[in-house]
Amino acid sequence: MDQGRQKRISPPPSPSCSNRESSTDSDDPHGLRSRFVLNQAFHFRRALLEIQRGEKRTCWLWFVLPTAPYVVDGVERGSSMNRHFTLRTDEQAVEYLRLPPLELEGGEVVDLRQNYLDMAAAVREKLQGGFTMVDLFGELDAPKAVSSFKLFRRISEKIGDDKVYDVCVEILDDLHGGTKQKKKKNLFRINSS
């Protein structure tokens, strides 16, 4: 399917986060539609608005800013939801960025790459305005968001996706003080205002 065409898919029976194993088929071998597209169709606009307002308040991080598996001493850790939405291989992360926009039956179009860019741009804007990752995501989710930006920085560099790469680099640079003229920020400092 060429990039300009959109594929129609049916919405899930419920807009809630699903914890069931995603079924895969030859048309969607990584379960991207069932794990990400359908959830973003119902939750992305609200998620983006929350970050634009300066604070994540609802449950969406897993499928909007996915991460690689969280492994400690060779054992995968994290909640069952975290494991369900994990991008387990570089191939899955690449396909996440390359999946063509999909149109749901109601006309809603979900473009995972564009949604990632929009969310990353909102995060970057808030960081540049003085917010920290903890301000935006809370103490538990801030490291997960950083992990997602690290994953997609690496993947986008690998596949030559300059837009995703640039925004991820800008976010990660800002977390580490950016240029020498900038005062170094502590990633987990909570804004006192």
Side-chain angles (χ1 to χ4, degrees), residues 21 28-29 48 71-72 84 91 100 105 109 175 191:
E21 283 301 312
D28 186 22
L48 183 60
V71 178
V72 177
H84 175 73
E91 180 185 6
E105 284 182 359
V109 176
L175 293 177
N191 207 351

Side-chain angles (χ1 to χ4, degrees), residues 160-174:
D161 188 330
D162 293 340
K163 285 185 179 180
V164 173
Y165 178 79
D166 289 345
V167 73
C168 289
V169 166
E170 289 174 18
I171 289 168
L172 296 168
D173 282 353
D174 193 54

Side-chain angles (χ1 to χ4, degrees), residues 16-191:
S16 64
C17 299
S18 171
N19 194 20
R20 296 184 306 269
E21 283 301 312
S22 58
S23 61
T24 58
D25 59 38
S26 61
D27 204 29
D28 186 22
H30 303 297
L32 297 177
R33 287 187 206 128
S34 60
R35 291 190 297 155
F36 300 103
V37 172
L38 298 176
N39 281 299
Q40 284 195 26
F42 290 102
H43 301 283
F44 181 76
R45 284 192 197 120
R46 181 179 188 155
L48 183 60
L49 184 60
E50 288 177 10
I51 294 304
Q52 290 169 337
R53 290 181 175 168
E55 183 182 13
K56 176 185 170 291
R57 301 179 75 74
T58 59
C59 164
W60 50 260
L61 190 78
W62 303 292
F63 48 83
V64 174
L65 296 175
T67 65
Y70 176 53
V71 178
V72 177
D73 296 328
V75 177
E76 185 174 356
R77 305 286 184 184
S79 69
S80 60
M81 290 292 281
N82 185 64
R83 290 189 300 256
H84 175 73
F85 288 105
T86 290
L87 295 172
R88 300 199 166 280
T89 65
D90 284 3
E91 180 185 6
Q92 285 186 9
V94 168
E95 290 305 312
Y96 182 94
L97 291 176
R98 289 186 172 163
L99 187 71
L102 297 172
E103 183 178 357
L104 301 176
E105 284 182 359
E108 174 85 17
V109 176
V110 177
D111 183 337
L112 295 178
R113 179 183 174 275
Q114 188 59 54
N115 286 357
Y116 196 89
L117 282 168
D118 292 347
M119 181 60 72
V123 169
R124 177 188 60 204
E125 181 178 315
K126 286 299 182 183
L127 291 174
Q128 291 172 348
F131 284 78
T132 67
M133 292 297 276
V134 170
D135 295 333
L136 296 174
F137 294 101
E139 288 188 39
L140 293 176
D141 285 344
K144 296 171 194 167
V146 171
S147 177
S148 181
F149 296 126
K150 287 180 178 179
L151 170 66
F152 282 99
R153 175 194 58 196
R154 183 176 61 76
I155 294 300
S156 61
E157 180 178 34
K158 180 178 179 178
I159 64 172
D161 188 330
D162 293 340
K163 285 185 179 180
V164 173
Y165 178 79
D166 289 345
V167 73
C168 289
V169 166
E170 289 174 18
I171 289 168
L172 296 168
D173 282 353
D174 193 54
L175 293 177
H176 295 94
T179 65
K180 291 183 180 181
Q181 288 79 19
K182 281 187 174 181
K183 181 179 176 185
K184 186 170 183 169
K185 287 185 185 180
N186 180 341
L187 168 63
F188 297 105
R189 175 185 60 80
I190 296 178
N191 207 351

